Amino acid sequence: MKKIIVVGIIFLLPFWVFSNKPFAIIVHGGAGTYSNDSIQNYKIMQVISDAVEKGYKVLENGGAAVDAVETAIKVLEDSRLFNAGKGSVLNEEGFVEMDASIMEGKELKAGAVAGVRDFPNPISLARLVMEKTPHLLFAGEGVGKLIDRFQLKRINPDSLVTPEKLQEIKSGKIHKKGTVGAVALDKYGNIAAGTSTGGIANKMVGRVGDSPIIGAGTYAKNSTCGVSCTGLGEFFIKQSAAFHISALIEYANYSLKDAVGYVLSEIMKMGATGGIIAIDKNGNIFFDYTTQGMPCGYKSSSGVKKVLIFK
Ligand code: ASP
């Protein structure tokens, strides 16, 4: 009898340990200006909530943080409501160039793509770069070759150019849509982060922002935190924003909240605005933004769930 109990304890111990580890996910839909259009805002909140739930389910079922991040970001990319994937804004010549990156915090593996023109889910390409190539960042023509090499289906770039988007560029009245991102901590203590964007509307052809730059738009390290940023990318690159937050925690003993606050204030001092979502190694969730709004949603194993656009 005693033997059965001991074997039972040994067998169940790992399950008990993992089931007591905190896990959490946070997603954002871009820092910017949002109107009071209640129907549009309702749709945005629904999609954010869906992304949070789908990502959370992955974590709850014992999946990896990186799977949760990719799953959540794909929901946002597919929704057309955000400036990412199918909803991406047009550059000054009237076509789409998307950027994305993903990183996992255990071995600091990362992947990124820039200037994607004919693939609907750049976050999945970034993951492919991370897991299936010896490289980290692919840009421009090389992204097309990557898609062909792995026999993925390209889409017609024109399918991403809608009459509404063209009209916006022509009229100069660009409907503000946001970059998307997600950060997750799984049951095994692994942190992952990802960001996906169409960049800045009306940007010059070839312009690349912070979203595919590891350390600027995205960063993850198990011993500190995971971070995804949104805002004028040039400034987030100058501040090495995502890595900066991790470094403040690691080398200066900052709390997650103080580290995010410090980096956002440095970006404000330079005259730019933006937002940041983050989760630290203990499962603390934090987000902040210096714009009028930022769609954002999170859920943690402690039972907290929240979805919002305005603080
Ligand atoms: N950070 C993105 C970029 O500069 C844009 C955004 O987050 O709104 O490409």
Coordinates of all heavy atoms in Angstrom, one line a residue, residues 81-155:
L81 N -9.4 44.2 -38.5 CA -9.7 45.3 -37.7 C -8.4 46.1 -37.3 O -8.5 47.2 -36.8 CB -10.4 44.9 -36.4 CG -11.9 44.5 -36.6 CD1 -12.5 44.1 -35.2 CD2 -12.7 45.7 -37.2
F82 N -7.3 45.5 -37.5 CA -6.0 46.1 -37.0 C -5.1 46.3 -38.1 O -5.2 45.7 -39.2 CB -5.4 45.2 -35.9 CG -6.3 45.0 -34.7 CD1 -7.1 43.8 -34.7 CD2 -6.5 45.9 -33.7 CE1 -8.0 43.6 -33.6 CE2 -7.3 45.7 -32.7 CZ -8.1 44.6 -32.6
N83 N -4.0 47.1 -37.9 CA -3.0 47.3 -38.9 C -2.0 46.2 -38.8 O -0.9 46.4 -38.4 CB -2.4 48.7 -38.6 CG -1.2 48.9 -39.5 OD1 -1.1 48.3 -40.5 ND2 -0.3 49.9 -39.1
A84 N -2.4 45.0 -39.2 CA -1.6 43.8 -39.2 C -2.3 42.8 -40.1 O -3.5 42.8 -40.2 CB -1.4 43.3 -37.8
G85 N -1.5 41.9 -40.7 CA -2.0 40.9 -41.6 C -3.0 41.5 -42.6 O -2.6 42.5 -43.3
K86 N -4.2 40.9 -42.7 CA -5.1 41.3 -43.8 C -5.6 42.8 -43.6 O -6.1 43.4 -44.6 CB -6.3 40.4 -43.8 CG -6.0 39.0 -44.2 CD -7.1 38.1 -44.2 CE -6.7 36.7 -44.6 NZ -7.6 35.6 -44.0
G87 N -5.5 43.3 -42.4 CA -5.9 44.7 -42.2 C -4.8 45.8 -42.4 O -5.1 47.0 -42.2
S88 N -3.6 45.3 -42.9 CA -2.5 46.2 -42.9 C -2.7 47.5 -43.8 O -3.4 47.4 -44.8 CB -1.3 45.5 -43.5 OG -0.9 44.5 -42.5
V89 N -2.2 48.6 -43.3 CA -2.3 49.8 -44.1 C -1.4 49.8 -45.3 O -0.5 49.0 -45.5 CB -1.9 51.0 -43.2 CG1 -2.8 51.2 -42.0 CG2 -0.4 50.9 -42.7
L90 N -1.6 50.8 -46.2 CA -0.9 50.9 -47.4 C 0.3 51.8 -47.3 O 0.2 52.8 -46.5 CB -1.8 51.3 -48.6 CG -3.0 50.5 -48.8 CD1 -3.8 51.1 -50.0 CD2 -2.7 49.1 -49.1
N91 N 1.4 51.6 -48.1 CA 2.5 52.5 -48.1 C 2.2 53.6 -49.1 O 1.1 53.6 -49.7 CB 3.8 51.8 -48.4 CG 3.8 51.1 -49.7 OD1 3.0 51.4 -50.6 ND2 4.7 50.1 -49.8
E92 N 3.1 54.5 -49.4 CA 2.8 55.7 -50.2 C 2.6 55.3 -51.7 O 2.0 56.1 -52.5 CB 3.9 56.8 -50.1 CG 5.3 56.3 -50.6 CD 6.3 57.4 -50.6 OE1 6.0 58.5 -50.1 OE2 7.4 57.1 -51.1
E93 N 3.0 54.1 -52.1 CA 2.8 53.6 -53.4 C 1.5 52.7 -53.5 O 1.3 52.1 -54.6 CB 4.0 53.0 -54.0 CG 5.1 54.0 -54.3 CD 6.3 53.4 -55.0 OE1 6.2 52.2 -55.6 OE2 7.3 54.0 -55.0
G94 N 0.8 52.6 -52.4 CA -0.5 51.9 -52.5 C -0.4 50.4 -52.3 O -1.3 49.7 -52.8
F95 N 0.7 49.9 -51.8 CA 0.7 48.4 -51.5 C 1.1 48.2 -50.0 O 1.6 49.1 -49.3 CB 1.5 47.6 -52.5 CG 2.9 47.9 -52.6 CD1 3.9 47.3 -51.8 CD2 3.4 48.9 -53.5 CE1 5.2 47.6 -51.9 CE2 4.7 49.2 -53.6 CZ 5.6 48.6 -52.8
V96 N 1.0 46.9 -49.6 CA 1.2 46.6 -48.2 C 2.6 46.0 -48.0 O 3.1 45.2 -48.8 CB 0.1 45.5 -47.8 CG1 0.6 44.7 -46.6 CG2 -1.2 46.1 -47.6
E97 N 3.3 46.4 -46.9 CA 4.6 45.8 -46.5 C 4.5 45.6 -45.0 O 4.5 46.5 -44.2 CB 5.7 46.8 -46.8 CG 6.0 47.0 -48.3 CD 7.1 48.0 -48.5 OE1 7.0 49.1 -48.0 OE2 8.2 47.6 -49.0
M98 N 4.4 44.3 -44.7 CA 4.2 43.9 -43.3 C 5.5 43.5 -42.6 O 6.3 42.9 -43.2 CB 3.1 42.8 -43.2 CG 1.8 43.2 -43.8 SD 0.7 41.7 -43.9 CE 1.3 41.0 -45.4
D99 N 5.5 43.7 -41.3 CA 6.7 43.3 -40.5 C 6.2 42.5 -39.3 O 5.1 42.8 -38.7 CB 7.4 44.6 -39.9 CG 7.8 45.6 -40.9 OD1 8.1 45.2 -42.1 OD2 7.9 46.8 -40.6
A100 N 7.0 41.6 -38.8 CA 6.6 40.8 -37.6 C 7.8 40.2 -36.9 O 8.8 39.9 -37.6 CB 5.6 39.7 -37.9
S101 N 7.7 39.9 -35.7 CA 8.8 39.2 -35.0 C 8.2 38.4 -33.8 O 7.1 38.7 -33.3 CB 9.8 40.1 -34.4 OG 9.3 41.0 -33.4
I102 N 8.9 37.3 -33.4 CA 8.5 36.5 -32.3 C 9.8 36.1 -31.6 O 10.9 35.9 -32.2 CB 7.7 35.3 -32.8 CG1 6.9 34.6 -31.7 CG2 8.5 34.3 -33.6 CD1 5.8 33.7 -32.1
M103 N 9.7 35.9 -30.3 CA 10.9 35.5 -29.5 C 10.5 34.6 -28.3 O 9.4 34.9 -27.7 CB 11.6 36.7 -29.0 CG 12.9 36.4 -28.2 SD 13.8 37.9 -27.9 CE 15.3 37.2 -27.3
E104 N 11.3 33.6 -28.0 CA 11.0 32.8 -26.8 C 12.2 33.1 -25.8 O 13.3 33.2 -26.2 CB 10.8 31.4 -27.2 CG 11.9 30.6 -27.7 CD 12.9 30.2 -26.7 OE1 12.5 29.7 -25.7 OE2 14.2 30.3 -27.0
G105 N 11.8 33.1 -24.5 CA 12.7 33.5 -23.5 C 13.6 32.5 -22.9 O 14.4 32.8 -22.0
K106 N 13.5 31.2 -23.3 CA 14.3 30.2 -22.6 C 15.7 30.2 -23.2 O 16.7 30.3 -22.5 CB 13.6 28.8 -22.8 CG 14.3 27.7 -22.0 CD 13.6 26.4 -22.2 CE 14.3 25.3 -21.5 NZ 13.8 24.0 -21.9
E107 N 15.8 30.1 -24.5 CA 17.1 30.0 -25.2 C 17.3 31.3 -26.0 O 18.3 31.4 -26.8 CB 17.1 28.8 -26.1 CG 17.1 27.5 -25.4 CD 17.0 26.3 -26.3 OE1 17.7 26.3 -27.4 OE2 16.2 25.4 -26.1
L108 N 16.4 32.3 -25.8 CA 16.5 33.5 -26.6 C 16.5 33.3 -28.1 O 17.2 34.0 -28.9 CB 17.8 34.4 -26.2 CG 17.9 34.7 -24.7 CD1 19.1 35.6 -24.5 CD2 16.7 35.3 -24.1
K109 N 15.7 32.3 -28.5 CA 15.5 32.1 -30.0 C 14.5 33.1 -30.5 O 13.5 33.5 -29.8 CB 15.0 30.7 -30.2 CG 16.0 29.6 -30.0 CD 15.6 28.3 -30.6 CE 14.6 27.6 -29.6 NZ 14.3 26.2 -29.9
A110 N 14.7 33.6 -31.7 CA 13.8 34.6 -32.3 C 13.8 34.5 -33.8 O 14.7 34.0 -34.4 CB 14.3 36.0 -31.8
G111 N 12.7 35.0 -34.4 CA 12.6 35.1 -35.8 C 11.8 36.3 -36.2 O 11.0 36.8 -35.4
A112 N 12.1 36.9 -37.4 CA 11.5 38.1 -37.8 C 11.4 38.2 -39.3 O 12.3 37.6 -40.0 CB 12.2 39.3 -37.2
V113 N 10.4 38.9 -39.8 CA 10.3 39.2 -41.2 C 10.0 40.7 -41.4 O 9.3 41.3 -40.6 CB 9.2 38.3 -41.9 CG1 9.7 36.9 -42.2 CG2 7.9 38.3 -41.1
A114 N 10.5 41.3 -42.5 CA 10.2 42.7 -42.8 C 9.8 42.8 -44.3 O 10.4 42.1 -45.2 CB 11.4 43.5 -42.5
G115 N 8.9 43.7 -44.6 CA 8.5 44.0 -46.0 C 7.7 42.9 -46.6 O 7.9 42.7 -47.8
V116 N 6.9 42.2 -45.8 CA 6.1 41.0 -46.4 C 5.0 41.6 -47.3 O 4.2 42.4 -46.8 CB 5.6 40.2 -45.3 CG1 4.8 39.0 -45.8 CG2 6.6 39.7 -44.3
R117 N 4.9 41.1 -48.5 CA 3.8 41.6 -49.4 C 2.7 40.6 -49.7 O 1.7 41.0 -50.1 CB 4.5 42.0 -50.7 CG 5.5 43.2 -50.5 CD 6.1 43.6 -51.8 NE 7.1 44.6 -51.6 CZ 7.7 45.3 -52.5 NH1 7.3 45.1 -53.8 NH2 8.6 46.2 -52.2
D118 N 3.0 39.3 -49.6 CA 2.0 38.4 -50.1 C 1.8 37.2 -49.2 O 1.7 36.0 -49.7 CB 2.4 37.9 -51.5 CG 3.8 37.4 -51.6 OD1 4.5 37.3 -50.5 OD2 4.3 37.1 -52.7
F119 N 1.8 37.4 -47.9 CA 1.4 36.3 -47.0 C 0.6 36.9 -45.9 O 0.8 38.0 -45.3 CB 2.7 35.7 -46.4 CG 2.5 34.4 -45.7 CD1 2.4 33.3 -46.5 CD2 2.5 34.3 -44.4 CE1 2.2 32.0 -45.9 CE2 2.2 33.1 -43.8 CZ 2.1 31.9 -44.6
P120 N -0.6 36.2 -45.5 CA -1.5 36.8 -44.6 C -1.1 36.8 -43.2 O -1.7 37.6 -42.4 CB -2.8 35.9 -44.8 CG -2.3 34.6 -45.3 CD -1.0 34.9 -46.1
N121 N -0.2 35.9 -42.8 CA 0.1 35.9 -41.3 C 1.6 36.0 -41.1 O 2.3 35.0 -40.9 CB -0.4 34.5 -40.7 CG -1.9 34.4 -40.7 OD1 -2.5 33.7 -41.5 ND2 -2.5 35.3 -39.9
P122 N 2.2 37.2 -41.2 CA 3.6 37.4 -41.0 C 4.1 36.8 -39.7 O 5.3 36.4 -39.6 CB 3.7 38.9 -41.0 CG 2.6 39.4 -41.8 CD 1.5 38.4 -41.5
I123 N 3.3 36.7 -38.6 CA 3.8 36.2 -37.4 C 4.2 34.7 -37.5 O 5.2 34.3 -36.9 CB 2.7 36.4 -36.2 CG1 3.4 36.1 -34.8 CG2 1.5 35.5 -36.4 CD1 4.4 37.1 -34.4
S124 N 3.5 34.0 -38.4 CA 3.8 32.6 -38.6 C 5.1 32.5 -39.4 O 5.9 31.5 -39.2 CB 2.7 31.9 -39.4 OG 1.5 31.9 -38.6
L125 N 5.3 33.4 -40.3 CA 6.6 33.4 -41.1 C 7.8 33.7 -40.1 O 8.8 33.1 -40.2 CB 6.6 34.5 -42.1 CG 5.8 34.3 -43.4 CD1 6.0 35.5 -44.3 CD2 6.3 33.0 -44.1
A126 N 7.5 34.6 -39.2 CA 8.6 34.9 -38.2 C 8.9 33.7 -37.4 O 10.1 33.4 -37.1 CB 8.1 36.1 -37.2
R127 N 7.9 33.0 -37.0 CA 8.1 31.7 -36.2 C 8.8 30.7 -37.1 O 9.7 30.0 -36.6 CB 6.7 31.2 -35.8 CG 6.9 29.9 -35.0 CD 5.9 29.6 -34.0 NE 6.2 28.5 -33.2 CZ 5.4 27.7 -32.6 NH1 4.1 28.0 -32.6 NH2 5.8 26.7 -31.9
L128 N 8.5 30.6 -38.4 CA 9.2 29.7 -39.2 C 10.7 30.0 -39.3 O 11.6 29.2 -39.3 CB 8.5 29.8 -40.6 CG 9.1 28.9 -41.7 CD1 7.9 27.9 -42.1 CD2 9.6 29.6 -42.9
V129 N 11.0 31.3 -39.4 CA 12.4 31.8 -39.4 C 13.1 31.3 -38.2 O 14.2 30.8 -38.2 CB 12.5 33.3 -39.6 CG1 13.9 33.8 -39.4 CG2 11.9 33.8 -40.9
M130 N 12.4 31.5 -37.0 CA 13.0 31.1 -35.7 C 13.2 29.6 -35.6 O 14.3 29.2 -35.2 CB 12.0 31.5 -34.6 CG 12.4 31.1 -33.2 SD 11.4 31.8 -31.9 CE 10.0 30.7 -31.8
E131 N 12.3 28.8 -36.1 CA 12.4 27.4 -35.9 C 13.0 26.6 -37.0 O 13.5 25.5 -36.8 CB 11.0 26.8 -35.5 CG 10.6 27.3 -34.2 CD 9.2 26.9 -33.8 OE1 8.4 26.4 -34.6 OE2 8.8 27.1 -32.6
K132 N 12.9 27.1 -38.2 CA 13.3 26.3 -39.4 C 14.5 26.8 -40.2 O 14.9 26.3 -41.2 CB 12.1 26.1 -40.3 CG 10.9 25.5 -39.7 CD 10.7 24.0 -40.1 CE 9.8 23.2 -39.2 NZ 8.4 23.6 -39.3
T133 N 15.1 27.9 -39.7 CA 16.2 28.5 -40.5 C 17.3 28.8 -39.4 O 17.1 29.0 -38.3 CB 15.9 29.8 -41.3 OG1 16.0 30.9 -40.3 CG2 14.6 29.7 -41.9
P134 N 18.6 28.9 -39.9 CA 19.7 29.3 -39.0 C 19.7 30.8 -38.8 O 20.7 31.3 -38.2 CB 20.9 28.7 -39.7 CG 20.6 28.7 -41.2 CD 19.1 28.6 -41.3
H135 N 18.8 31.5 -39.4 CA 18.9 33.0 -39.4 C 17.8 33.6 -38.5 O 17.0 32.9 -37.9 CB 18.7 33.5 -40.8 CG 19.7 32.9 -41.8 ND1 21.0 33.0 -41.6 CD2 19.5 32.1 -42.9 CE1 21.6 32.3 -42.5 NE2 20.7 31.7 -43.3
L136 N 17.8 34.9 -38.4 CA 16.9 35.6 -37.5 C 15.9 36.5 -38.2 O 14.7 36.6 -37.9 CB 17.6 36.3 -36.4 CG 16.8 36.8 -35.2 CD1 17.6 36.8 -33.9 CD2 16.1 38.2 -35.4
L137 N 16.4 37.3 -39.2 CA 15.6 38.3 -39.8 C 15.7 38.2 -41.4 O 16.8 38.2 -41.9 CB 16.0 39.7 -39.4 CG 15.4 40.9 -40.0 CD1 13.9 41.0 -39.9 CD2 16.1 42.2 -39.5
F138 N 14.5 38.0 -42.0 CA 14.4 38.0 -43.5 C 13.7 39.3 -43.9 O 12.7 39.7 -43.3 CB 13.7 36.8 -44.0 CG 14.5 35.5 -44.0 CD1 14.8 34.9 -42.8 CD2 14.9 35.0 -45.2 CE1 15.6 33.7 -42.8 CE2 15.6 33.8 -45.2 CZ 16.0 33.2 -44.0
A139 N 14.2 39.9 -45.0 CA 13.5 41.1 -45.5 C 13.3 41.0 -47.0 O 14.0 40.4 -47.7 CB 14.4 42.3 -45.2
G140 N 12.3 41.8 -47.5 CA 12.0 42.0 -48.9 C 11.9 40.7 -49.7 O 11.2 39.8 -49.4
E141 N 12.7 40.7 -50.8 CA 12.6 39.6 -51.7 C 12.9 38.2 -51.1 O 12.3 37.2 -51.5 CB 13.7 39.8 -52.8 CG 13.4 39.1 -54.1 CD 14.6 39.2 -55.0 OE1 15.3 40.3 -55.0 OE2 14.9 38.2 -55.7
G142 N 13.8 38.2 -50.1 CA 14.1 37.0 -49.4 C 12.9 36.3 -48.7 O 12.9 35.1 -48.5
V143 N 11.9 37.2 -48.3 CA 10.7 36.6 -47.6 C 10.0 35.8 -48.6 O 9.5 34.7 -48.3 CB 9.9 37.7 -47.1 CG1 8.6 37.2 -46.4 CG2 10.6 38.6 -46.1
G144 N 9.8 36.3 -49.9 CA 9.1 35.5 -50.9 C 9.8 34.2 -51.2 O 9.2 33.2 -51.3
K145 N 11.1 34.2 -51.2 CA 11.9 33.0 -51.4 C 11.7 32.0 -50.3 O 11.6 30.8 -50.5 CB 13.4 33.3 -51.6 CG 13.6 34.0 -52.9 CD 15.1 34.0 -53.3 CE 15.2 34.6 -54.7 NZ 16.6 34.8 -55.1
L146 N 11.6 32.5 -49.1 CA 11.3 31.7 -47.9 C 10.0 31.0 -48.0 O 9.8 29.8 -47.7 CB 11.4 32.6 -46.7 CG 11.4 31.9 -45.3 CD1 12.7 31.4 -45.0 CD2 10.9 32.9 -44.2
I147 N 9.0 31.8 -48.4 CA 7.6 31.3 -48.5 C 7.6 30.1 -49.5 O 7.0 29.0 -49.3 CB 6.6 32.4 -49.0 CG1 6.5 33.4 -47.9 CG2 5.3 31.8 -49.3 CD1 5.8 34.7 -48.3
D148 N 8.3 30.3 -50.7 CA 8.4 29.2 -51.7 C 9.2 28.0 -51.2 O 8.8 26.9 -51.4 CB 9.0 29.8 -53.0 CG 8.2 30.9 -53.6 OD1 7.0 31.0 -53.2 OD2 8.7 31.7 -54.4
R149 N 10.3 28.3 -50.5 CA 11.1 27.2 -50.1 C 10.4 26.2 -49.1 O 10.5 25.0 -49.2 CB 12.3 27.8 -49.3 CG 13.4 26.8 -49.0 CD 14.5 27.6 -48.3 NE 15.6 26.7 -48.0 CZ 16.9 27.0 -48.4 NH1 17.1 28.1 -49.1 NH2 17.8 26.2 -48.1
F150 N 9.5 26.8 -48.3 CA 8.7 26.0 -47.4 C 7.3 25.6 -47.9 O 6.5 25.1 -47.2 CB 8.6 26.7 -46.0 CG 9.9 26.6 -45.3 CD1 10.9 27.6 -45.4 CD2 10.2 25.5 -44.5 CE1 12.1 27.5 -44.8 CE2 11.5 25.4 -43.9 CZ 12.4 26.4 -44.0
Q151 N 7.2 25.9 -49.3 CA 5.9 25.5 -50.0 C 4.7 26.0 -49.3 O 3.7 25.3 -49.2 CB 5.9 24.0 -50.2 CG 7.0 23.6 -51.1 CD 7.1 22.1 -51.3 OE1 6.5 21.3 -50.5 NE2 7.8 21.7 -52.2
L152 N 4.8 27.3 -48.9 CA 3.6 27.9 -48.3 C 2.8 28.6 -49.4 O 3.4 28.9 -50.4 CB 4.0 28.9 -47.2 CG 4.8 28.3 -46.0 CD1 5.3 29.4 -45.1 CD2 4.0 27.3 -45.3
K153 N 1.6 29.0 -49.1 CA 0.8 29.6 -50.2 C 0.9 31.1 -50.1 O 0.6 31.7 -49.1 CB -0.7 29.2 -50.0 CG -1.5 29.3 -51.2 CD -2.9 28.7 -51.0 CE -3.9 29.0 -52.0 NZ -4.1 30.4 -52.3
R154 N 1.4 31.7 -51.2 CA 1.4 33.1 -51.3 C 0.0 33.6 -51.6 O -0.7 32.9 -52.3 CB 2.3 33.6 -52.4 CG 3.8 33.4 -52.2 CD 4.5 34.1 -53.3 NE 5.9 33.8 -53.4 CZ 6.8 34.7 -53.8 NH1 6.5 36.0 -54.0 NH2 8.1 34.3 -53.9
I155 N -0.3 34.8 -51.2 CA -1.6 35.4 -51.6 C -1.3 36.5 -52.6 O -0.2 37.0 -52.7 CB -2.4 35.9 -50.5 CG1 -1.6 36.9 -49.6 CG2 -3.0 34.8 -49.6 CD1 -2.5 37.7 -48.7

